[in-house]
Amino acid sequence: MITIKINNKNYEAGEGETVLPVLIREGIDIPHLCYHDALSPYGSCRLCMVEVTAGGKKGITASCTLPVSEGLEIETETPEVVQIRKVLLEMYLAEAPGSKKIQELAKKFGVVHSRFADFDIEAKGDRCVLCGLCVRACNELLGIGAINYAGRGTNSSINTPWYESSSACIGCGACAYVCPADAIDIIDRGDERIMETWNRTTLKLKECVESKQYFATEKAVEYVYGKDSDLPEDLKDLSADSRRRKKAADFVLKPRRK
Ligand code: SF4
Ligand code: FES
């Protein structure tokens, strides 16, 4: 175990950890957009900035990529750190004015206007903050890479190759699950799932043989079975609810020795 000081109080951290997970675990409130505990830290949103003192030197850096080390001292609320957060939030308000998450953070930090754009804070608009969590989920968790950064500068976006519907996307929804800005639209209609944000990539949904409910895309089910050949074939056509029911029924009906 490693001991670090946060806001003048000692905390234990694990070998190899970075500072942000410690702050989150200890309930120390710090804004962050591009961090998810299932994915590698990327350090792109810069909202998790803290003041750090190490080896007698002070600096300001992103806590999600800062490794813990014995005696590290962290301050999360210095005037400089708070000021950086506010300027960043002004930029995010200009970048993604439609994001509820950004609107909430801006409100929390008293940011009511942005010097970087003219907009109505309540207006619907862009929601993506370019944090890249969706890209990393698709790459790191699934190994698929159906989406990536595209364009430059103010035209940057996350997109499919050539801005066309993707043949690689399996419609699992992991991207939408990790997105902090609720910026990815997925529509289930009839027997189809439309990945609206990914240029309307359209996939067939699989129907549960018992409940007759659509529960996942055919491609996502094939992907899961392709990864794990030990999965029982008889569960392949069942939704999660039906699988649970079947398990419970099997347990109740199983003959037991007296
Ligand atoms: S779509 Fe969501 S997860 Fe992907 S970069 Fe934009 S805000 Fe981040
Ligand atoms: S959470 Fe650390 S830079 Fe985004």
Side-chain angles (χ1 to χ4, degrees):
M1 276 290 166
I2 290 172
T3 304
I4 63 172
K5 198 169 258 181
I6 303 170
N7 299 335
N8 283 321
K9 205 173 148 199
N10 283 341
Y11 292 90
E12 299 282 293
E15 203 75 48
E17 259 192 315
T18 58
V19 171
L20 183 58
V22 183
L23 296 172
I24 295 171
R25 188 168 63 237
E26 298 297 345
I28 298 164
D29 193 24
I30 184 147
H32 55 87
L33 287 173
C34 71
Y35 175 81
H36 192 288
D37 58 7
L39 298 167
S40 58
Y42 193 54
S44 67
C45 76
R46 314 311 282 172
L47 276 179
C48 70
M49 294 289 231
V50 290
E51 186 178 282
V52 53
T53 307
K57 287 190 181 157
K58 271 189 200 299
I60 292 181
T61 191
S63 60
C64 64
T65 49
L66 176 67
V68 296
S69 58
E70 196 59 45
L72 196 70
E73 290 180 33
I74 301 293
E75 289 282 340
T76 62
E77 297 295 328
T78 65
E80 291 82 3
V81 165
V82 172
Q83 185 54 26
I84 290 171
R85 256 175 229 161
K86 287 183 168 184
V87 174
L88 284 168
L89 283 167
E90 280 193 61
M91 287 165 62
Y92 282 120
L93 273 179
E95 175 78 41
S99 163
K100 281 266 172 293
K101 172 87 176 178
I102 296 298
Q103 290 171 13
E104 278 164 22
L105 282 173
K107 201 169 169 194
K108 183 170 168 184
F109 287 94
V111 177
V112 289
H113 77 280
S114 170
R115 285 165 287 176
F116 305 104
D118 261 347
F119 64 92
D120 170 1
I121 205 160
E122 295 297 333
K124 292 246 180 299
D126 286 346
R127 289 168 285 157
C128 176
V129 293
L130 297 173
C131 68
L133 277 176
C134 52
V135 175
R136 279 179 285 145
C138 196
N139 268 322
E140 290 178 22
L141 297 182
L142 295 134
I144 291 176
I147 47 174
N148 212 332
Y149 285 92
R152 287 180 184 199
T154 51
N155 290 325
S156 298
S157 67
I158 305 295
N159 228 306
T160 50
W162 315 112
Y163 305 90
E164 289 174 354
S165 73
S166 165
S167 57
C169 176
I170 60 169
C172 65
C175 51
Y177 181 76
V178 296
C179 177
D182 199 17
I184 299 169
D185 294 324
I186 300 177
I187 300 166
D188 285 351
R189 188 181 293 146
D191 64 349
E192 284 183 339
R193 170 165 293 177
I194 304 159
M195 307 299 285
E196 190 72 22
T197 309
W198 310 137
N199 294 300
R200 297 186 59 79
T201 297
T202 302
L203 299 119
K204 275 265 169 275
L205 286 166
K206 199 169 175 68
E207 191 183 56
C208 171
V209 289
E210 286 193 357
S211 69
K212 305 296 174 199
Q213 304 277 323
Y214 292 110
F215 64 97
T217 65
E218 290 178 350
K219 253 182 148 179
V221 175
E222 288 309 322
Y223 172 89
V224 171
Y225 273 78
K227 285 275 167 200
D228 188 347
S229 53
D230 292 337
L231 288 171
E233 275 295 314
D234 61 332
L235 300 185
K236 198 172 181 179
D237 299 324
L238 295 178
S239 67
D241 281 349
S242 297
R243 257 177 272 154
R244 269 193 292 276
R245 268 196 294 275
K246 182 175 164 40
K247 254 187 153 177
D250 284 353
F251 178 76
V252 172
L253 297 176
K254 204 159 112 191
R256 291 186 180 74
R257 281 197 199 147
K258 294 239 161 110

